[in-house]
């Protein structure tokens, strides 16, 4: 998928969530693949910058990580009980998803691998507390 930027009217949304739940996946990835065992955590009480920082601290230079926003969709839950929770990927994706060479998903996984040596820069004031986790 190619990146697209379009100006919009900020009044087109009708609700906000001031207390989001994030899901962090830590993958025991190989040298050239994001596939491997996975530890999964839900994080609340933080914004996305703090969550990315925490994930990077946990991953170090050995694991890969992905961050998603957890969304509980009441309409989907009513229509299909037990299936109302979903994820919106914010950074990366499920490292165990199978991808095709040249696909957008494969590019995402490659960026996940590169973040082990080139982490996302998080300013000091946005860092997660080191005593968390």
């Amino acid at each position: 998928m190619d990146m697209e930027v379009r100006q919009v009217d900020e009044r087109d949304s009708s609700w906000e969530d001031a207390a989001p739940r994030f899901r962090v996946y830590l993958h025991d990835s190989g040298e050239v693949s994001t596939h491997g065992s996975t530890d999964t955590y839900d994080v609340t009480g933080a914004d996305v910058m703090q969550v990315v920082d925490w994930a990077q601290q946990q991953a170090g230079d050995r694991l890969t990580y992905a961050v998603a926003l957890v969304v509980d969709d009441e309409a989907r839950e009513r229509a299909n009980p037990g299936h109302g929770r979903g994820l919106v990927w914010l950074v990366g994706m499920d490292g165990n998803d199978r991808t095709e060479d040249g696909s957008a998903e494969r590019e995402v996984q490659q960026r996940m691998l590169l973040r082990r040596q080139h982490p996302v820069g998080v300013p000091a004031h946005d860092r997660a507390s080191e005593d968390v986790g």
Side-chain angles (χ1 to χ4, degrees):
M1 176 189 293
D2 292 330
M3 184 171 161
E4 182 180 322
V5 178
R6 182 180 325 156
Q7 187 172 13
V8 298
D9 183 342
E10 76 280 2
R11 297 168 292 181
D12 71 349
S13 58
S14 60
W15 62 272
E16 297 178 10
D17 184 351
R21 173 181 303 274
F22 299 97
R23 182 152 298 167
V24 175
Y25 288 73
L26 297 173
H27 303 101
D28 190 16
S29 301
E31 195 69 26
V32 296
S33 170
T34 58
H35 296 265
S37 63
T38 304
D39 288 323
T40 308
Y41 302 88
D42 276 6
V43 181
T44 58
D47 69 20
V48 70
M49 295 298 288
Q50 293 168 310
V51 174
V52 168
D53 186 59
W54 182 85
Q56 288 185 147
Q57 288 177 30
Q58 305 312 302
D61 62 359
R62 189 177 66 80
L63 306 176
T64 57
Y65 69 91
V67 178
L69 177 65
V70 178
V71 178
D72 290 316
D73 186 320
E74 292 178 21
R76 287 183 190 216
E77 181 64 27
R78 281 192 302 276
N80 193 3
H83 298 278
R85 178 165 283 179
L87 301 175
V88 176
W89 291 110
L90 303 174
V91 178
M93 60 181 279
D94 185 340
N96 288 314
D97 281 353
R98 299 279 178 217
T99 59
E100 300 295 323
D101 285 338
S103 68
E105 292 82 7
R106 178 65 57 92
E107 290 180 26
V108 170
Q109 288 178 340
Q110 293 304 305
R111 289 195 310 271
M112 291 168 65
L113 290 166
L114 289 169
R115 286 187 193 111
R116 293 188 294 196
Q117 282 71 46
H118 305 283
V120 174
V122 178
H125 60 273
D126 281 324
R127 296 237 166 97
S129 173
E130 291 187 19
D131 61 345
V132 174

